[in-house]
Amino acid sequence: MSDRSIQKFKEYVQKLNPIDDIIFRKMAENREFCEEILRTFLQDYHLKVLNNKSQYAITSIERRSVILDAYCELRDGRRVNIEVQNADNVNHQKRVRYYSSVLTTSLMKKGESFDNVPEVCMIYICNFDIFKENKSSYLIKRVIDGSNREVDNGFKEIYISANINDGTTLSELMGVFTKDDCYSENFPVTSKMKYDFKYVKEGNKMTDAMKELYDIFKEESKDKWIKEGRREGRREGIKEGRKEGVINTLLMLAKDGIISVEDAAKRANISVSMFQKYLNEKM
């Protein structure tokens, strides 16, 4: 890789944070990272993660498949899916409902008793206030209408507003997730991994973490996006935008909130409504 390509990549990565899918998916491969953030999300500081998988695919021939950003199996048997969402451009609650049902179905064997349905928790991290109530966290409960009696079917649904700072430990963690050069001694694993992705340690060499991220970035953006895709208005960029590979790259960047839907549609030389349709199909 050329020095120019490396430098452009470094500049790009330094603008990213764990709230961005391309960073989060790599960090989620680390069990200690998953354990550290889940202890805060679930307010369980003795929580242990037995297994974790990033970009965990649940495929179906006849129905829509899903790819979970981070899937964790806890020591107490609970299964947790963590999703990060930068853009407010889908029906988030229905997405959570569908993901949870697909995950639950995948964990059950044919003919198995419903007593064995595992406890599933969906944690949906949004870089916006999804319910507009100025809260950093929303725990959705099932209650009986008229009595407010809570009933538990083994499914927990939590939405986190990464942009709300209410002085809680959760908000402190979300600061690390969303703000450039924001780190915390209370979250050493998350902070160190974020720093290692964003910066080099010596000379002009990449860290191992950055090399892995570069491989993903190069594959998804075809490396051409680094050189041409950001040159707004260039005729070559518009021409390439008609090709399926570049459109897929634009969809990825729009999903991660790196560029707006309007800007992506313009680069792809298609209407905003058509681009939004493609984006919804990718969600």
Side-chain angles (χ1 to χ4, degrees), residues 192-203:
K192 183 179 186 304
M193 291 189 71
K194 172 183 171 178
Y195 183 87
D196 286 346
F197 276 122
K198 289 169 77 73
Y199 298 103
V200 296
K201 292 183 179 179
E202 58 182 15

Side-chain angles (χ1 to χ4, degrees), residues 198-216:
K198 289 169 77 73
Y199 298 103
V200 296
K201 292 183 179 179
E202 58 182 15
N204 198 37
K205 296 181 180 179
M206 284 186 175
T207 63
D208 290 340
M210 285 183 71
K211 287 178 181 178
E212 291 183 55
L213 190 59
Y214 182 82
D215 290 338
I216 293 176

Side-chain angles (χ1 to χ4, degrees), residues 126-143:
C126 311
N127 203 9
F128 47 88
D129 187 356
I130 184 171
F131 296 118
K132 314 299 183 187
E133 293 192 11
N134 201 37
K135 294 183 179 181
S136 60
S137 178
Y138 298 95
L139 171 61
I140 310 302
K141 296 182 179 181
R142 297 175 70 245
V143 297

